[in-house]
């Protein structure tokens, strides 16, 4: 395996199950085109496409490494307004917050 | 180092669970705006403030203190504030508002009610009973606490025979109109923004001439979540103002940065400054109309003294009311 290929990352099947059964997270239509990143007023390179990819792949550790970024999203929906695949980006980010609030922060 | 997210959110959510609002304030500070307006208590149609404008002076004060703590070792001790806040209202000590801010935000809600009266709208107010709608808990993804608050609000409206609410800010409008129906079975409350109500009223005609250029700042929530874009423009035009549009406007409006201010104050400020630059590109020391308390606070802070940033109701009241 070459060095750059998601080494040291573990898939968490429980995480996939929780995401899949939630009914609230849906990013399967994302084509990874990058428009969301280009228009984000926060200029956050990671949001939202990479986070969504981590989530769909069950890479919970990678997702939680980026907790700060998940909370930096303004939920302003500029990305959603421009998304060509009609992904409910803001609701997905909110879902990730909801997951962290419950599973990590125990709120 | 950024503020500890879990403790900052935890503190606000503890308040919501225990004190029914994220920032507990004396009830007279929440209801005092209605003094002298003779608004009846309750009724089928009520103005619903969700205390958003009234809370802002306290949030401004709290954020100022959080900025001092952000990036310092003191940030590590936020957990202690959360611990003691469970016993007594610590947030009251860290968020002592400026009198001028209290007066400014109170005046906005007063102006909105005055405009509704001028338009011939009949409405009541729930006064002390009114509750915070739970916006912050929803945005931060604390769903259990949000659901509890949403049900509290819905029960309050039903117990008081309310069927229509007129909201005064975009966040409460969005939460009560578009989010509550997704989590409350049989939700049957009609929710209108005061801007929508005023825009459809023929009674509202200008009494005073106001020849002025106003740059409009659309709220992300009104424009992209609730499609409220034309109404503020119709009202400003009817009042006699000339509207100037910044580079990012309407459905593509630029966020003020405010939504992340409670956790990332400095980053929020940078976003606000970017938006201010868009205003400065088209107006020199001119007036900017906001329609959200969070936008107004963020943009005022980012602009310094360079621009006249006021809530849209402040401009409308000058034209339409005595």
């Amino acid at each position: 395996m070459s060095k750059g290929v998601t080494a040291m990352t573990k898939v968490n099947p429980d995480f996939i199950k929780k995401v899949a059964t939630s009914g609230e997270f849906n990013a399967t239509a994302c084509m990874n085109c990058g428009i969301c990143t280009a228009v984000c007023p926060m200029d956050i390179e990671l949001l939202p496409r990479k986070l969504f990819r981590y989530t769909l792949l069950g890479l919970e550790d990678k997702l939680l490494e980026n907790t700060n970024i998940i909370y930096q999203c303004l939920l302003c929906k500029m990305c959603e307004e421009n998304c060509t695949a009609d992904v409910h980006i803001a609701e997905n980010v909110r879902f990730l917050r909801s997951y962290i609030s419950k599973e990590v922060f125990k709120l | 180092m950024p503020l500890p997210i879990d403790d900052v959110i935890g503190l606000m959510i503890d308040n919501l669970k225990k004190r029914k609002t994220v920032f507990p304030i004396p009830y007279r500070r929440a209801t005092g705006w209605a003094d002298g307006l003779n608004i009846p208590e309750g009724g089928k149609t009520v103005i619903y403030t969700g205390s958003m404008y009234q809370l802002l002076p306290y949030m401004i004060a709290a954020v100022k203190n959080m900025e001092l703590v952000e990036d310092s070792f003191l940030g590590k001790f936020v957990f202690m504030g959360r611990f003691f806040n469970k016993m007594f209202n610590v947030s009251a000590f860290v968020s002592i508002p400026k009198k001028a801010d209290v007066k400014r935000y109170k005046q906005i809600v007063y102006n909105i009610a005055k405009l509704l009266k001028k338009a011939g709208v009949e409405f009541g107010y729930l006064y002390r009973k009114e509750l915070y709608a739970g916006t912050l808990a929803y945005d931060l993804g604390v769903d259990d606490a949000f659901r509890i608050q949403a049900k509290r609000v819905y029960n309050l409206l039903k117990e008081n025979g309310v069927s229509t609410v007129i909201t005064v800010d975009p966040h409460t409008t969005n939460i009560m109109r578009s989010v509550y129906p997704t989590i409350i079975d049989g939700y049957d409350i009609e929710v209108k923004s005061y801007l929508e109500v005023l825009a459809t009223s023929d009674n509202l005609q200008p009494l005073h001439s106001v020849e002025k250029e106003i740059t409009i700042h659309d709220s992300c929530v009104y424009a992209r979540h609730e499609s409220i874009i034309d109404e503020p423009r119709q009202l400003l035009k009817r009042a006699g103002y000339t509207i100037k549009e910044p580079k990012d406007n309407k459905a593509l409006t630029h966020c003020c940065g405010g939504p992340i201010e409670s956790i990332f104050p400095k980053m929020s400020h940078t976003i606000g400054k970017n938006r201010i630059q868009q205003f400065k590109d088209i107006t020199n020391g001119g007036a900017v109309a906001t329609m959200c308390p969070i936008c107004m606070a963020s943009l005022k802070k980012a602009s310094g003294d360079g621009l006249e940033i006021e809530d849209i109701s402040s401009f409308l009241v000058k034209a339409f009311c005595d």
Side-chain angles (χ1 to χ4, degrees), chain A residues 36-47 68-76 78 97, chain B residues 254-261 264 266-272 274:
Chain A
C36 52
T37 306
V39 300
C40 178
M42 288 296 289
D43 206 11
I44 299 173
E45 196 271 331
L46 196 66
L47 265 176
N68 270 4
I69 287 176
I70 292 168
Y71 285 92
Q72 281 165 10
C73 171
L74 296 155
L75 299 181
C76 74
M78 183 66 122
R97 289 180 180 179
Chain B
H254 190 297
C255 184
C256 66
I260 57 163
E261 198 171 26
F264 304 101
K266 286 178 186 162
M267 210 173 261
S268 161
H269 193 51
T270 305
I271 305 296
N274 292 343

Side-chain angles (χ1 to χ4, degrees), chain B residues 211-232:
Chain B
E211 286 173 18
K212 191 171 187 171
E213 284 187 341
I214 293 187
T215 302
I216 198 161
H217 167 74
D218 290 284
S219 131
C220 300
V221 179
Y222 266 155
R224 284 195 281 273
H225 295 54
E226 295 298 324
S227 302
I228 298 177
I229 294 171
D230 295 336
E231 292 84 350

Side-chain angles (χ1 to χ4, degrees), chain A residues 41 68 76 91 94 97-98, chain B residues 2 5 138-139 141 143 224 271:
Chain A
N68 270 4
C76 74
E91 187 48 38
R94 226 195 55 76
R97 289 180 180 179
S98 148
Chain B
I5 298 174
Y138 179 74
D139 286 351
D143 290 346
R224 284 195 281 273
I271 305 296

Side-chain angles (χ1 to χ4, degrees), chain A residues 4-20:
Chain A
V5 182
T6 59
M8 314 299 285
T9 304
K10 199 178 168 192
V11 171
N12 180 346
D14 285 343
F15 177 64
I16 297 181
K17 213 180 278 177
K18 277 177 188 165
V19 172

